[in-house]
Amino acid sequence: MGSIFKGKILSPISKSKIFFLNPGYLAISEKGKILEIGQNDLRNKYRNFSFYNFFDKLICPGFIDIHNHLPQFPLIGLSSTNLFTWLNELVFPYEDKFRYKKFAQKYSGIFFHKLLKNGTTTTSTYVTIHKQATDIAFQSAKESGIRTFIGKVMMDREVPENMLEDTQKSLQDSQGLIEKWDGYDEDRLRYVLSPRFAVSCSFQMLKGIGKLAKRYNIYIQSHLAESKTEIELIKKLYPEFKNYTEIYYKAGILSEKTIMAHCIYLDKQEIETLQKTGTKISHCPTANRFLSSGIMRYRKLEEKDLTIGLGTDVAGGYSFSMFNEMKEVIETSKTINFVNPKEQYKPVTVEEAYYLATLGGATALSIENETGSLEKGKSADFLVIDYQKLNDCKDNDILSEAKKILSKMIYCGSENIVKQVYVKGKRVI
Ligand code: GUN
Ligand code: FE
């Protein structure tokens, strides 16, 4: 039997447009697909469906966090001076603990639960170099009900001895995980090959990843041009390449199914390479500031028609919440004009931030026909939001229009207003 939901429906259409139904009705099939959405009361049409009345709540698509690290979440909020000090002093020792089964089991379950509690229904996640820990992460994701891309981190140089992988073994372990998990539950779980970044990957490994991705038609995620120190290191490690992006390009790992995180320091040529290969970008404004890496010129990349989604980059970012990430993408973009008025930088709007956290993220992951907005034929991945919690004085004028509700939600929202969460029409929170 299917179900009908009534509520104030707020969903993205494009970077500048949202649609708002007050009230709206959502009919969902037994298999979790949206059968119909609109202003008409659908109860007469679907007589045997269960009815859920959220007339005073908001119904929104679930959020999409296209970049985060499972083993790092206990480190959330622990700041450091820069990316490499943070990686060496905090991250690597912590990721090493995931060699132990019990540790991986304990933290994987909590991680996906935290994401769902915050309203994130789709995520793209790095685990550690450990095959067992990655397998456990898939198992936890399967049980949690979340939609996710997961990958075992790959690195075969420039990291502490205990974290070094043998190149062939790393590729074989990834292949085994692909064969076991990719496509599970009608593609709710997907595999994403996850070379950490070119600093810690040999060219041979990157080429092997490119081949594996083509053979199995698999996604790839990595980091690119996040910090100036990283770029200096890349010049030393890969002196024969024109720029950072060219390494990934020549290794054959850039395509429509590749998502590169950060992309702060790219030159014109590199942007063109990302454009021509259809590579997607994960914008992580919170992490970029938290690790003192820099400010990505979102507008510069967006104007070149590059597809961009948002990533919390937990724990480079200090929050699981996509409300926070939406706020950060706007506020960071405003600061550019103070620093350099000559740029005449057009700040990100609330509609645009909402798009990036939903449909934009889905497009970056090439699943925009499946999720990211509330539309007929898509999967019922949605949230019930108690936005009135943000209106202490019960002043009806304050939240009288869609744009005001959206703005209030982005700036003041947190997991406290996420009342219920559904993936594929099934309640998961
Ligand atoms: N670059 C290489 N590894 C990492 C990581 O774990 N987090 C971030 N933010 N950048 C990286
Ligand atoms: Fe990251």
Side-chain angles (χ1 to χ4, degrees):
M1 206 172 53
S3 44
I4 293 170
F5 284 77
K6 177 183 180 180
K8 296 171 199 289
I9 295 178
L10 181 69
S11 188
I13 296 175
S14 66
K15 286 174 193 162
S16 58
K17 284 205 190 91
I18 45 176
F19 85 82
F20 186 55
L21 303 174
N22 184 15
Y25 292 82
L26 201 56
I28 297 164
S29 74
E30 195 171 347
K31 290 195 107 184
K33 291 273 183 206
I34 299 175
L35 293 170
E36 225 169 296
I37 176 168
Q39 279 177 310
N40 293 336
D41 190 337
L42 297 169
R43 277 176 287 180
N44 278 334
K45 186 164 173 186
Y46 301 94
R47 284 185 178 270
N48 59 348
F49 278 27
S50 323
F51 179 62
Y52 301 92
N53 193 349
F54 292 109
F55 71 97
D56 61 343
K57 310 270 185 302
L58 214 55
I59 295 179
C60 304
F63 296 128
I64 301 187
D65 177 358
I66 70 168
H67 182 99
N68 55 49
H69 299 257
L70 183 154
Q72 297 175 11
F73 88 87
L75 304 173
I76 273 186
L78 301 187
S79 64
S80 191
T81 45
N82 62 63
L83 173 63
F84 286 92
T85 310
W86 175 74
L87 282 174
N88 289 318
E89 291 182 1
L90 292 166
V91 172
F92 290 154
Y94 211 82
E95 291 196 1
D96 189 44
K97 296 179 198 232
F98 280 71
R99 66 172 67 239
Y100 304 110
K101 192 174 173 183
K102 279 224 162 90
F103 205 86
Q105 276 170 334
K106 178 175 171 193
Y107 286 103
S108 292
I110 302 172
F111 178 78
F112 291 111
H113 181 70
K114 292 275 288 180
L115 281 168
L116 287 169
K117 284 275 282 180
N118 277 278
T120 298
T121 52
T122 300
T123 161
S124 190
T125 295
Y126 293 66
V127 190
T128 56
I129 55 164
H130 311 104
K131 186 180 182 188
Q132 178 180 256
T134 310
D135 187 59
I136 289 168
F138 268 107
Q139 192 65 40
S140 297
K142 172 185 155 184
E143 287 157 16
S144 73
I146 202 165
R147 184 184 293 284
T148 178
F149 298 70
I150 296 176
K152 186 191 94 60
V153 163
M154 304 171 82
M155 41 194 194
D156 64 352
R157 66 168 189 191
E158 296 289 318
V159 288
E161 193 79 41
N162 56 338
M163 308 222 74
L164 260 186
E165 290 187 286
D166 171 74
T167 312
Q168 283 314 315
K169 176 146 192 320
S170 180
L171 290 163
Q172 277 161 13
D173 283 355
S174 303
Q175 187 176 342
L177 289 160
I178 290 170
E179 287 174 355
K180 180 166 180 189
W181 288 107
D182 185 54
Y184 181 85
D185 188 15
E186 298 165 320
D187 282 349
R188 179 166 68 80
L189 305 185
R190 298 296 309 260
Y191 196 82
V192 54
L193 284 156
S194 306
R196 184 161 219 131
F197 58 166
V199 172
S200 60
C201 294
S202 66
F203 195 61
Q204 195 196 355
M205 180 183 256
L206 293 175
K207 277 200 301 194
I209 290 166
K211 278 199 192 122
L212 207 50
K214 279 190 194 80
R215 180 167 162 205
Y216 287 91
N217 191 21
I218 293 288
Y219 287 84
I220 300 175
Q221 62 181 355
S222 194
H223 297 84
L224 170 64
E226 180 178 5
S227 88
K228 287 189 175 164
T229 316
E230 176 192 4
I231 289 166
E232 288 311 308
L233 256 173
I234 285 289
K235 280 185 191 152
K236 279 197 199 121
L237 292 165
Y238 283 102
E240 66 277 32
F241 291 87
K242 271 199 300 248
N243 55 51
Y244 195 164
T245 307
E246 200 194 37
I247 303 166
Y248 292 141
Y249 177 64
K250 293 229 160 126
I253 70 163
L254 298 184
S255 80
E256 297 84 20
K257 290 180 86 171
T258 302
I259 306 108
M260 284 291 161
H262 304 287
C263 300
I264 302 175
Y265 302 103
L266 296 178
D267 66 25
K268 217 170 132 223
Q269 256 186 343
E270 293 182 277
I271 293 172
E272 274 170 24
T273 305
L274 296 181
Q275 236 177 350
K276 79 175 176 202
T277 52
T279 302
K280 310 300 197 314
I281 291 172
S282 166
H283 182 23
C284 307
T286 307
N288 291 347
R289 209 154 57 155
F290 188 64
L291 297 175
S292 304
S293 299
I295 295 181
M296 188 192 95
R297 298 305 197 264
Y298 160 81
R299 197 62 72 201
K300 220 167 106 182
L301 301 179
E302 185 258 337
E303 279 167 358
K304 290 271 189 289
D305 282 334
L306 283 162
T307 302
I308 305 168
L310 288 181
T312 60
D313 196 22
V314 159
Y318 51 77
S319 172
F320 269 106
S321 174
M322 291 300 284
F323 294 118
N324 174 72
E325 209 57 49
M326 287 189 276
K327 180 178 69 188
E328 283 271 359
V329 73
I330 303 170
E331 296 304 290
T332 305
S333 75
K334 287 180 191 168
T335 62
I336 296 171
N337 273 330
F338 303 137
V339 179
N340 187 9
K342 277 202 202 119
E343 282 192 47
Q344 298 194 327
Y345 196 86
K346 208 168 107 230
V348 174
T349 64
V350 290
E351 291 89 345
E352 201 167 13
Y354 189 50
Y355 173 86
L356 290 173
T358 54
L359 196 50
T363 310
L365 296 172
S366 310
I367 50 169
E368 70 274 21
N369 293 327
E370 185 66 12
T371 189
S373 60
L374 301 176
E375 287 175 71
K376 186 176 170 169
K378 287 196 180 186
S379 175
D381 299 355
F382 66 98
L383 316 174
V384 177
I385 302 273
D386 191 357
Y387 74 100
Q388 289 294 352
K389 274 194 178 169
L390 307 175
N391 186 12
D392 294 331
C393 301
K394 301 284 168 265
D395 182 337
N396 285 333
D397 289 342
I398 295 275
L399 296 178
S400 57
E401 311 159 16
K403 186 166 177 177
K404 287 180 177 171
I405 296 174
L406 181 58
S407 183
K408 192 77 153 171
M409 187 166 83
I410 289 175
Y411 283 97
C412 308
S414 68
E415 70 179 283
N416 293 335
I417 64 167
V418 180
K419 196 177 160 63
Q420 295 188 2
V421 180
Y422 294 79
V423 178
K424 292 181 80 179
K426 211 174 110 198
R427 188 165 173 199
V428 289
I429 291 288

